Amino acid sequence: MQREQHTFTLEMDVRDYECDMQGIVNNSVYQNYLEHARHEYLKSVGIDFSEYTRMGVNLVVVRAELDYRSPLKSGDRFLVTLRLHRESTLKFAFYQDILCLPDMKPALNAKIIGTALNGRGRPEIPSALAALMGVGEA
């Protein structure tokens, strides 16, 4: 997977309260950054995460792989990038990076695997989401 082909980028700032006693972003906060970028991406392409939930479709993470590269500190500006890829018939992956600004130094690389659960709790990818991943990528 080539990380250079980002589908979406979101610029963010580290806030003081996200840092631990060492003065760096707590490891769990990175998942919040990644999730926020995924939700913003879905909104930007017309997929309303909360509307899906109201319709009984739940987009869920089934696996998260995070490789921490370089710590972020209070006041740092950074980009969260992503690329959506169809992993299988019932799973998709967001390949995401967090890059420090302005030098684009990698802070984190992630692969977030998800699926959608229909009203019966069974995996089923909604057509709008499948269309984002293109035909024949499964």
PDB file of all heavy atoms in Angstrom, residues 20-21 31-32 63-64 108-109 124 127:
ATOM      1  N   ASP A  20       0.750  13.639  28.394  1.00  0.00           N
ATOM      2  CA  ASP A  20       0.944  12.925  29.653  1.00  0.00           C
ATOM      3  C   ASP A  20       2.023  13.609  30.481  1.00  0.00           C
ATOM      4  O   ASP A  20       2.485  14.708  30.139  1.00  0.00           O
ATOM      5  CB  ASP A  20       1.276  11.451  29.391  1.00  0.00           C
ATOM      6  CG  ASP A  20       2.528  11.246  28.555  1.00  0.00           C
ATOM      7  OD1 ASP A  20       3.384  12.167  28.487  1.00  0.00           O
ATOM      8  OD2 ASP A  20       2.664  10.173  27.970  1.00  0.00           O
ATOM      9  N   MET A  21       2.438  12.974  31.555  1.00  0.00           N
ATOM     10  CA  MET A  21       3.417  13.574  32.459  1.00  0.00           C
ATOM     11  C   MET A  21       4.785  13.770  31.811  1.00  0.00           C
ATOM     12  O   MET A  21       5.597  14.562  32.281  1.00  0.00           O
ATOM     13  CB  MET A  21       3.542  12.724  33.724  1.00  0.00           C
ATOM     14  CG  MET A  21       2.283  12.793  34.575  1.00  0.00           C
ATOM     15  SD  MET A  21       2.366  11.790  36.070  1.00  0.00           S
ATOM     16  CE  MET A  21       3.613  12.675  36.986  1.00  0.00           C
ATOM     17  N   GLN A  31      -5.556   7.581  18.742  1.00  0.00           N
ATOM     18  CA  GLN A  31      -6.737   6.940  18.168  1.00  0.00           C
ATOM     19  C   GLN A  31      -7.885   7.932  18.019  1.00  0.00           C
ATOM     20  O   GLN A  31      -8.662   7.835  17.067  1.00  0.00           O
ATOM     21  CB  GLN A  31      -7.160   5.733  19.000  1.00  0.00           C
ATOM     22  CG  GLN A  31      -6.161   4.597  18.844  1.00  0.00           C
ATOM     23  CD  GLN A  31      -6.750   3.262  19.161  1.00  0.00           C
ATOM     24  OE1 GLN A  31      -7.852   2.938  18.723  1.00  0.00           O
ATOM     25  NE2 GLN A  31      -6.005   2.460  19.903  1.00  0.00           N
ATOM     26  N   ASN A  32      -7.984   8.913  18.923  1.00  0.00           N
ATOM     27  CA  ASN A  32      -8.993   9.959  18.777  1.00  0.00           C
ATOM     28  C   ASN A  32      -8.726  10.790  17.532  1.00  0.00           C
ATOM     29  O   ASN A  32      -9.650  11.132  16.786  1.00  0.00           O
ATOM     30  CB  ASN A  32      -9.025  10.877  20.008  1.00  0.00           C
ATOM     31  CG  ASN A  32      -9.533  10.179  21.236  1.00  0.00           C
ATOM     32  OD1 ASN A  32     -10.321   9.245  21.152  1.00  0.00           O
ATOM     33  ND2 ASN A  32      -9.071  10.617  22.389  1.00  0.00           N
ATOM     34  N   ARG A  63     -10.134  -4.006  14.114  1.00  0.00           N
ATOM     35  CA  ARG A  63      -8.703  -4.160  14.384  1.00  0.00           C
ATOM     36  C   ARG A  63      -8.019  -2.812  14.187  1.00  0.00           C
ATOM     37  O   ARG A  63      -8.342  -2.079  13.258  1.00  0.00           O
ATOM     38  CB  ARG A  63      -8.081  -5.195  13.451  1.00  0.00           C
ATOM     39  CG  ARG A  63      -6.615  -5.452  13.676  1.00  0.00           C
ATOM     40  CD  ARG A  63      -6.108  -6.525  12.691  1.00  0.00           C
ATOM     41  NE  ARG A  63      -4.718  -6.742  12.849  1.00  0.00           N
ATOM     42  CZ  ARG A  63      -4.156  -7.600  13.702  1.00  0.00           C
ATOM     43  NH1 ARG A  63      -4.915  -8.326  14.489  1.00  0.00           N
ATOM     44  NH2 ARG A  63      -2.864  -7.742  13.778  1.00  0.00           N
ATOM     45  N   ALA A  64      -7.083  -2.504  15.062  1.00  0.00           N
ATOM     46  CA  ALA A  64      -6.303  -1.275  14.934  1.00  0.00           C
ATOM     47  C   ALA A  64      -4.828  -1.611  15.094  1.00  0.00           C
ATOM     48  O   ALA A  64      -4.425  -2.182  16.100  1.00  0.00           O
ATOM     49  CB  ALA A  64      -6.730  -0.257  15.989  1.00  0.00           C
ATOM     50  N   LEU A 108       3.101   8.784  13.327  1.00  0.00           N
ATOM     51  CA  LEU A 108       2.383   7.523  13.501  1.00  0.00           C
ATOM     52  C   LEU A 108       1.922   7.014  12.149  1.00  0.00           C
ATOM     53  O   LEU A 108       1.543   7.805  11.277  1.00  0.00           O
ATOM     54  CB  LEU A 108       1.156   7.755  14.403  1.00  0.00           C
ATOM     55  CG  LEU A 108       0.285   6.536  14.667  1.00  0.00           C
ATOM     56  CD1 LEU A 108       0.011   6.409  16.153  1.00  0.00           C
ATOM     57  CD2 LEU A 108      -1.030   6.667  13.918  1.00  0.00           C
ATOM     58  N   ASN A 109       1.948   5.700  11.984  1.00  0.00           N
ATOM     59  CA  ASN A 109       1.342   5.027  10.834  1.00  0.00           C
ATOM     60  C   ASN A 109       0.324   4.048  11.391  1.00  0.00           C
ATOM     61  O   ASN A 109       0.585   3.380  12.386  1.00  0.00           O
ATOM     62  CB  ASN A 109       2.370   4.247  10.009  1.00  0.00           C
ATOM     63  CG  ASN A 109       3.539   5.087   9.569  1.00  0.00           C
ATOM     64  OD1 ASN A 109       4.664   4.824   9.970  1.00  0.00           O
ATOM     65  ND2 ASN A 109       3.307   6.091   8.765  1.00  0.00           N
ATOM     66  N   GLU A 124     -22.240  -6.252   6.641  1.00  0.00           N
ATOM     67  CA  GLU A 124     -22.799  -5.913   5.328  1.00  0.00           C
ATOM     68  C   GLU A 124     -22.349  -4.493   4.996  1.00  0.00           C
ATOM     69  O   GLU A 124     -22.680  -3.555   5.708  1.00  0.00           O
ATOM     70  CB  GLU A 124     -24.328  -5.981   5.366  1.00  0.00           C
ATOM     71  CG  GLU A 124     -24.992  -5.649   4.063  1.00  0.00           C
ATOM     72  CD  GLU A 124     -26.517  -5.716   4.182  1.00  0.00           C
ATOM     73  OE1 GLU A 124     -27.045  -6.511   4.969  1.00  0.00           O
ATOM     74  OE2 GLU A 124     -27.165  -4.931   3.471  1.00  0.00           O
ATOM     75  N   SER A 127     -23.938   0.271   0.272  1.00  0.00           N
ATOM     76  CA  SER A 127     -23.553   0.546  -1.119  1.00  0.00           C
ATOM     77  C   SER A 127     -22.777   1.847  -1.271  1.00  0.00           C
ATOM     78  O   SER A 127     -21.836   1.915  -2.068  1.00  0.00           O
ATOM     79  CB  SER A 127     -24.785   0.541  -2.029  1.00  0.00           C
ATOM     80  OG  SER A 127     -25.712   1.514  -1.584  1.00  0.00           O
TER      81      SER A 127
END
